[in-house]
Amino acid sequence: MRRRIRFLTYNVHSCFGTDRKLDPARIAAVINECRADIIALQEVDVGRARSGGIDQAHMIAAHLQMEAQFHPALHLKDEKYGDALLTALPMRLVKAAALPSVGEARGALWVEVDLAEVKLQIVVTHLGLRGAERVRQVTTLLGPGWLGGIDQRETPVVLAGDLNATARSAAYGLVARQLRDAQLQTDAKPRPTFPSRLPLLRIDHIFVGAEIEVRHCGVHNTASARVASDHLPLVAELEIGVSEQVNDDTGSGD
């Protein structure tokens, strides 16, 4: 038995477009074009003066008729900046914490999404700009406090976000030893996501565990997406294995 969902990851650049306009509704419209069931966002502002003090995570979620979980990697007084996960499906926050960082603070968000037949474990993150820093951050995420504590042979897992890491980087290599790059699981050629106006770098990623098949994965490169943020969204259609459980009480006659 399989369950199919559409998953999207998107660095929204605090909802500032390449035209320098602040427009969360435009970001929501781009996401809506992708018809995603679960959305991982990075560079989300909550209560920041530079973006009008609004809660971007919940504003975008409201536009999409979804709920949001948000984790501030950066928290200065009432101003927050970090990662979010949006969905209309039942979800539960498992963990939200800082990652070892040099310079700008980084963090990760772990959310369990209930697909009725199975619980999908999703980790959303935005890694640092320095190679050694990214290696430490990935090592943490793959360790026992995060994905290393999950039996990935039985539990479907997704790690997604702006990893600031190309396929040749050490951080990417560490993740690829345990999880599969969604863009490499189909016959389509992998496409870059950054910068949005002329994409050259493939640094936004969706990685999946053994219980997930990738039916499609592509970059949403439209005129509106090229303006809404400095990154393009990455969208994957995932088919998730569901273990059929036998009910011991069935047929008991009582």
Side-chain angles (χ1 to χ4, degrees), residues 164-181:
N164 274 313
T166 66
R168 295 184 177 182
S169 70
Y172 175 99
L174 287 172
V175 180
R177 290 176 193 171
Q178 295 193 28
L179 301 170
R180 293 171 295 130
D181 182 342

Side-chain angles (χ1 to χ4, degrees), residues 107-242:
L109 177 68
W110 176 359
V111 177
E112 178 183 88
V113 176
D114 190 344
L115 302 179
E117 305 91 347
V118 67
K119 289 178 169 49
L120 175 62
Q121 308 300 322
I122 302 169
V123 173
V124 183
T125 192
H126 183 191
L127 301 185
L129 298 175
R130 303 178 185 183
E133 177 185 28
R134 289 194 298 271
V135 167
R136 289 194 296 272
Q137 291 164 351
V138 164
T139 300
T140 298
L141 292 175
L142 297 176
W146 291 85
L147 294 177
I150 299 174
D151 185 351
Q152 296 178 23
R153 296 169 298 179
E154 298 182 357
T155 305
V157 169
V158 174
L159 171 63
D162 177 0
L163 304 190
N164 274 313
T166 66
R168 295 184 177 182
S169 70
Y172 175 99
L174 287 172
V175 180
R177 290 176 193 171
Q178 295 193 28
L179 301 170
R180 293 171 295 130
D181 182 342
Q183 280 214 67
L184 301 183
Q185 305 308 305
T186 69
D187 294 333
K189 181 181 178 181
R191 298 293 183 184
T193 54
F194 178 82
S196 57
R197 285 189 178 274
L198 183 63
L200 298 172
L201 299 176
R202 196 167 76 87
I203 57 176
D204 298 279
H205 300 284
I206 298 170
F207 281 93
V208 300
E211 288 296 306
I212 300 176
E213 295 297 327
V214 181
R215 295 305 178 192
H216 171 77
C217 188
V219 176
H220 186 67
N221 190 347
T222 61
S224 54
R226 287 192 290 273
V227 177
S229 172
D230 62 345
H231 287 243
L232 294 172
L234 178 65
V235 189
E237 188 167 324
L238 307 178
E239 199 169 86
I240 300 167
V242 178

Side-chain angles (χ1 to χ4, degrees), residues 5-28:
I5 62 164
R6 289 178 68 85
F7 186 98
L8 177 147
T9 186
Y10 192 11
N11 181 324
V12 299
H13 197 231
S14 301
C15 298
F16 285 99
T18 54
D19 57 2
R20 300 184 180 180
K21 292 181 181 178
L22 173 67
D23 195 344
R26 181 169 59 181
I27 289 288

